[in-house]
Amino acid sequence: MGKFDSIIQKMTVEEKLGQMSQLMAECFGEEDCGTLMGISYGFEVKPELAWNLGSVLGMSGAKRVKDVQKTYLEKSTHKIPLMFMHDVIHGFRTSFPSPIGMACTWEPELVEKASAVAAKEASVSGVHLTFSPMADLARDARWGRVIEGNGEDPLLNCQYSVARVKGYQGDNIRDKYRMASCVKHFAGYGAAESGRDYNTTEISDYQLKESYLPAYKAAIDAGCKMVMTAFNALNGVPCTGNKWLYEELLRGEWGFKGSVITDCTALYELIPHGYAENPAQAAKLALETGVDIEMVSTAYFNEIPKLIAEGKIDEALLDTAVERILELKEELGLFENPYKDADEEEEKRWHVCAEHRALAREIAARSMVLLKNDNHVLPIQEKEKVALVGPFATTDTMIDIWKCMAKPEECVTFFDGMKDRVELVAAEGCAMTEQEGEEALMAEAVEAAKQCDTVILALGEHPSLSAEAGSRAYLTLPENQQKLAKKILELGKKTVLVLFNGRPLELGFLNEEVDSILVAWYPGTEAGNALADVLLGDVNPSGRLSISFPYTLGQVPIYYNALPTGRPKGSDDNPERFTSRYVDAPNDAAYPFGYGLSYGEVSYGELSISNDKMTAEDTITATMEVTNLGDREVMETVQLYLRDMGGSYSRPVKMLKDYQKITLQPGEKRTITFNIDAEMLKYNTRENGYTYEEGTFRVFVGPNSSVKDYKEFVLVS
Ligand code: BGC
C-alpha cells in the first residue's frame, strides 16, 4: 500500500499523465493562467492539460507563482499543488561565478554557502526545485557546457556536487529557504564526441565507473531528490530510454527512490535519435525506463491514453511515477502550504542584499586563477595609472548565459570596481565578437594605453560562445581581440590579461607576451569589486584550475588523470620518435589541472612517507613542508596525488586523492600531513568489484598535477 494510493485510485489516466508533464512558464496566459497556450516548443498542448499539470518550468516571482498556484488549486479536481522548477545554476538574483569558476576555489564549503543563498533567494520567489548540480565530468574544452560543471577531476566533481545538494536542500527541503535539487544529466553527457553538444558518447564500463558516474552517485547519496536524463546516447542507447542506466543502475544498484525527469524535450528526441519511430513508441520506451516526468514535449499526455486503452501499457507504471511525484510534493510540504516560501516582502529583503553581495564578492575573488605574473606586475599599485582596455572593460555582461533572474544592471562592472582605486582610463578597443570598422575603437584604446603605466586587457568569449549549444571548434580568442592585444603589446607597457571565459582557452602568443594572466571566468554580480580586490592585492589570488588549459586545440581532450601508454614520452629535450607524443606540440598542458599562482612564492620541501609498506588495515602518512617565501599572506592548496603502478586495469598516471587549502603568513613554514589508507586505493577492479589490489603505489605531494617527485610504498597482505 503506497501512501498516496487513495488519491491515485481516484485519478483518471489524464490526471495521472498531467502530473507527469511539465510545461514552460511561457505556456501560461498572462492574465488567466489556466489558458495554456496550445503549443509548447512546437508540441501540441491539449486544453485538458491545464488543470491536471504537475509542474512548471522556469516560472518565478512570489506574486506570479502564488497567483498561478491559487487559480490552479481552485480549478483542479484533486487539489494537488503544482511544483515550480527552475534552473538556479549559480545564483538566483545574486549571481555567483559560473560553476567552473567556483570549482577553482577548491573550497566546496564556499559553494555550499553560495547554493544556500541561491536557495533562499529562489524559494522566496516561489521556486521549489532547481535543476542543479550538473555533475557531468568534462575533459573536452570544446564542449560549451564545461562552464556549468566542475571540471575534469572525479574527486572535485563529487565534492562540489555534494556541496550544491547540501546547500540547496539543507537538512530538510520542507524547511524555510530550502529547495529540492535535481542532479543532471544522467549520464555521461560531458563526454559528447568531439565536444559537440548533444553528440553521442562512447564510454567504457571502466571509465564510466571510475570517472563519469561517481559525482551523480555522490549527489544522490547526499539526498538529491531528482535525476534528469541526458540528451546523449550512451554506448548506442539514448539516455532517456536507457533501461540499463535507469532501471538496473540508478534504481536497482544505487537504490534511488526519487523521481526522474527528462531533459527538455529529450523524450521526443528518442525519435530523431533513431530509437523510437513515433511519439507513442517514445512515450512507451521512456515510461518503461522509469522516467516520471516529461519536460516540455507532450508525448506522455497525448499518446499514453491510447496505449493503455489498447493494452500496450500497464497503467500501474503511471501509478508508480505519480506516487514518486506526490511524494516529492509532500516532502516539500506543499500539501500543507502550496505557496511554501513565496513572499513578496522576503523577496525585497533578500534579493541581492548586502550580505549576499558580500559572499558573491568573496567567492568571485577566490575563483580567479593567476596563470602568470612576470616581474611581479601584479598586484597593481594604488598610484599607478591604468588603462582598462577591451570589450569586457565597461560592460555589465559579467554573467554567463545561465543568469537566472540576475539583472546585468545590478552587476558591478570591471570599470566601476576599479575606478576609485587607481587612476583609470577605459576604452572598449573592439567588440566581443568581430564587427565591421573597429579601427577607430582600437586607435582610441591605443591612445588611452599610451598615457598609462599599466594596461589591463579585458578580453574573453562572448557568453553565447559557451554554455548549452555553445560548443566551439576553435579555442582561441576572436581575431579582433587578438589584433587589439597585439597593438597594445607593441607599446611595450606592463600588460595584464584578464580573461572572461567559460572554458580553457588556447592563448597562443599571449602566453609569452603579456606579463600577467588572470582567469576571471564570468564572475557574476560582484565582478568589478572582486576583480579590484585581486588585481590590487587586497585578496591574494588562490584559485587553482579544475580543468587543464591546452597549448593547442590538437591536444584536446587533455586531462591530467589519463591512463598511461606502453610508450610513454621521455624527456622533452630528446624525445624518442616511437613514443606517444606529438611531433609538433608538447604533450603537457599549457597550465595543468591544479595550477595557479599567488602573489609571492611558496616553496615545497622534500616529500617523506611514514612507511614504504602498508597493509589494508594500516594508515601511512605523507608529509611535506611548505614555506611562504613572500611578504604577504598566501592561501596555498597542497595537493596529494597517487598512482597505482600495477592493477587488473591500467591505472591513471595520477589521481587527486586529497588536498589542503591553508593560509600561510609571510615567512611561515608548515608541515602538511596527509593520511593514506586502503580506502584511497580502491577502484573498480576487473574481477573483484570496488576494492584495492596489492602492489606498488606512488605518492606525489605538490602545488599542482605536474608534480614529478614521488615516494613509493607497497600494499601487502
Ligand atoms: C538543459 C538542462 C536544463 C533544462 C531546463 C535543457 O535544455 O539541458 O540543463 O535544466 O533545459 O531548462
Side-chain angles (χ1 to χ4, degrees):
M1 252 319 255
K3 202 176 197 172
F4 297 99
D5 277 0
S6 59
I7 181 163
I8 292 173
Q9 272 160 18
K10 287 189 217 124
M11 291 170 81
T12 63
V13 166
E14 277 72 21
E15 286 164 351
K16 291 175 192 171
L17 291 168
Q19 287 300 315
M20 297 167 64
S21 303
Q22 176 167 107
L23 294 179
M24 291 169 106
E26 291 77 1
C27 294
F28 289 78
E30 268 306 317
E31 296 302 321
D32 171 10
C33 59
T35 325
L36 286 183
M37 309 303 177
I39 213 90
S40 159
Y41 233 79
F43 299 96
E44 183 201 358
V45 177
K46 294 189 173 159
E48 309 87 273
L49 189 50
W51 309 119
N52 291 320
L53 193 69
S55 54
V56 183
L57 164 64
M59 187 183 286
S60 65
K63 180 165 186 323
R64 174 77 172 145
V65 164
K66 284 196 289 188
D67 284 351
V68 169
Q69 186 76 289
K70 184 163 176 285
T71 319
Y72 176 86
L73 288 172
E74 282 162 9
K75 301 272 177 74
S76 76
T77 317
H78 299 287
K79 315 288 173 216
I80 302 170
L82 284 165
M83 244 185 307
F84 294 90
M85 309 191 191
H86 219 294
D87 288 286
V88 186
I89 306 300
H90 50 93
F92 184 74
R93 270 291 297 284
T94 307
S95 188
F96 294 92
S98 308
I100 190 70
M102 284 207 254
C104 293
T105 60
W106 293 54
E107 290 181 87
E109 343 43 280
L110 284 181
V111 172
E112 185 175 334
K113 280 191 198 166
S115 306
V117 163
K120 190 181 230 175
E121 291 193 358
S123 68
V124 298
S125 283
V127 176
H128 301 146
L129 179 142
T130 176
F131 294 125
S132 170
M134 188 185 97
D136 303 319
L137 188 95
R139 293 169 164 175
D140 193 323
R142 290 170 294 185
W143 192 49
R145 302 195 81 167
V146 156
I147 192 173
E148 296 175 52
N150 302 308
E152 70 191 33
D153 179 65
L155 176 71
L156 288 186
N157 197 18
C158 287
Q159 292 179 342
Y160 288 117
S161 299
V162 168
R164 286 184 188 275
V165 173
K166 285 189 180 163
Y168 299 135
Q169 298 195 161
D171 295 331
N172 190 340
I173 54 171
R174 177 183 286 242
D175 288 347
K176 194 160 184 193
Y177 304 142
R178 296 298 183 179
M179 61 181 170
S181 102
C182 170
V183 64
K184 66 191 187 186
H185 307 83
F186 196 62
Y189 182 42
E193 266 185 14
S194 45
R196 181 159 48 78
D197 207 4
Y198 316 122
N199 203 5
T200 201
T201 62
E202 290 287 334
I203 312 176
S204 71
D205 186 48
Y206 176 45
Q207 279 299 324
L208 259 180
K209 286 185 180 151
E210 283 292 296
S211 306
Y212 288 91
L213 295 178
Y216 308 108
K217 169 89 164 40
I220 289 164
D221 290 346
C224 184
K225 299 293 172 194
M226 191 178 273
V227 173
M228 185 186 287
T229 69
F231 286 127
N232 55 292
L234 175 63
N235 299 332
V237 183
C239 291
T240 306
N242 193 321
K243 280 196 181 184
W244 169 76
L245 200 54
Y246 283 88
E247 239 181 34
E248 258 185 65
L249 185 72
L250 180 75
R251 298 215 193 271
E253 209 177 299
W254 294 359
F256 179 65
K257 299 274 184 288
S259 344
V260 170
I261 190 166
T262 68
D263 200 348
C264 191
T265 70
L267 192 147
Y268 175 83
E269 290 168 27
L270 293 177
I271 305 169
H273 260 299
Y275 193 61
E277 291 199 357
N278 50 53
Q281 205 185 348
K284 184 173 183 325
L285 279 164
L287 185 68
E288 290 174 351
T289 298
V291 173
D292 304 317
I293 304 175
E294 178 178 13
M295 187 195 289
V296 173
S297 54
T298 50
Y300 271 180
F301 197 79
N302 296 351
E303 306 294 336
I304 288 184
K306 189 156 175 266
L307 292 171
I308 291 181
E310 289 168 354
K312 291 184 182 154
I313 273 186
D314 181 358
E315 195 178 333
L317 290 176
L318 270 53
D319 298 350
T320 310
V322 173
E323 168 101 28
R324 288 195 281 248
I325 296 162
L326 299 190
E327 181 68 42
L328 180 55
K329 294 186 176 186
E330 151 100 347
E331 277 192 76
L332 283 159
L334 297 181
F335 288 104
E336 280 142 53
N337 174 11
Y339 307 108
K340 197 167 181 290
D341 306 335
D343 184 321
E344 292 93 318
E345 287 309 308
E346 295 246 37
E347 284 182 310
K348 284 187 207 138
R349 179 167 167 214
W350 295 115
H351 283 178
V352 216
C353 65
E355 190 190 314
H356 294 179
R357 276 191 179 270
L359 184 66
R361 180 172 179 167
E362 183 189 0
I363 297 181
R366 298 271 258 266
S367 70
M368 295 175 191
V369 187
L370 184 65
L371 298 184
K372 182 177 181 191
N373 194 22
D374 283 2
N375 310 316
H376 304 292
V377 162
L378 290 177
I380 292 167
Q381 306 303 311
E382 305 251 341
K383 58 181 184 321
E384 279 179 65
K385 232 179 142 184
V386 176
L388 181 56
V389 166
F392 288 87
T394 54
T395 177
D396 61 12
T397 302
M398 288 282 123
I399 310 179
D400 68 52
I401 279 186
W402 280 129
K403 64 181 167 47
C404 202
M405 302 311 287
K407 298 183 177 172
E409 63 272 23
E410 287 174 347
C411 281
V412 183
T413 66
F414 201 166
F415 181 78
D416 284 342
M418 297 284 290
K419 69 178 190 308
D420 298 330
R421 308 287 308 271
V422 285
E423 205 179 313
L424 191 67
V425 289
E428 189 186 346
C430 66
M432 287 182 202
T433 45
E434 191 127 14
Q435 312 280 321
E436 293 276 304
E438 293 191 306
E439 289 73 19
L441 278 181
M442 290 206 189
E444 187 196 339
V446 169
E447 278 317 305
K450 275 185 187 161
Q451 306 155 29
C452 296
D453 313 309
T454 302
V455 188
I456 301 177
L457 276 168
L459 308 182
E461 300 176 287
H462 187 280
S464 65
L465 295 188
S466 52
E468 185 175 353
S471 295
R472 293 188 65 193
Y474 300 92
L475 297 179
T476 46
L477 288 171
E479 292 280 330
N480 60 339
Q481 295 192 39
Q482 294 191 47
K483 193 164 150 196
L484 173 66
K486 283 186 182 144
K487 283 185 186 291
I488 296 292
L489 283 164
E490 278 167 15
L491 303 176
K493 303 271 179 182
K494 291 188 277 182
T495 308
V496 175
L497 170 63
V498 177
L499 288 169
F500 298 84
N501 50 325
R503 57 159 62 75
L505 293 175
E506 176 184 331
L507 296 174
F509 69 94
L510 292 163
N511 282 321
E512 302 302 325
E513 294 181 28
V514 298
D515 297 293
S516 218
I517 305 175
L518 182 74
V519 178
W521 311 105
Y522 298 102
T525 305
E526 281 290 309
N529 286 332
L531 284 159
D533 289 343
V534 170
L535 293 170
L536 287 143
D538 297 348
V539 171
N540 197 344
S542 65
R544 299 291 180 261
L545 292 178
S546 57
I547 188 162
S548 306
F549 273 49
Y551 280 105
T552 173
L553 177 63
Q555 296 176 299
V556 170
I558 180 168
Y559 48 98
Y560 85 96
N561 46 2
L563 297 183
T565 76
R567 294 189 175 193
K569 180 181 171 184
S571 102
D572 272 337
D573 308 332
N574 189 15
E576 286 268 344
R577 179 167 181 95
F578 296 100
T579 56
S580 180
R581 67 185 187 105
Y582 299 103
V583 289
D584 54 1
N587 279 12
D588 293 337
Y591 305 101
F593 172 81
Y595 178 83
L597 303 174
S598 301
Y599 302 146
E601 197 190 328
V602 172
S603 78
Y604 280 68
E606 206 182 312
L607 172 66
S608 65
I609 55 174
S610 60
N611 205 329
D612 57 9
K613 279 203 179 57
M614 165 179 154
T615 70
E617 285 71 45
D618 293 341
T619 299
I620 62 168
T621 56
T623 307
M624 171 62 77
E625 196 164 82
V626 287
T627 311
N628 180 0
L629 301 177
D631 53 8
R632 288 171 178 268
E633 180 182 290
V634 292
M635 293 184 88
E636 178 68 11
T637 300
V638 186
Q639 302 165 29
L640 170 77
Y641 295 90
L642 292 184
R643 175 170 178 185
D644 183 344
M645 297 306 292
S648 57
Y649 274 110
S650 197
R651 303 291 296 138
V653 292
K654 251 175 222 153
M655 290 186 83
L656 180 73
K657 288 290 169 180
D658 200 0
Y659 57 91
Q660 293 179 34
K661 188 165 181 175
I662 54 163
T663 303
L664 292 170
Q665 298 308 316
E668 186 180 346
K669 185 178 281 196
R670 183 103 56 92
T671 302
I672 303 298
T673 303
F674 291 101
N675 290 332
I676 300 170
D677 59 18
E679 199 52 41
M680 258 186 201
L681 312 181
K682 286 184 176 169
Y683 79 103
N684 296 283
T685 62
R686 264 187 104 73
E687 267 135 35
N688 300 319
Y690 189 68
T691 188
Y692 43 77
E693 290 170 329
E694 286 169 10
T696 306
F697 291 82
R698 279 186 188 166
V699 184
F700 306 77
V701 174
N704 62 62
S705 64
S706 73
V707 50
K708 300 264 178 314
D709 294 341
Y710 59 84
K711 288 278 181 308
E712 281 185 352
F713 70 89
V714 183
L715 180 71
V716 293
S717 49

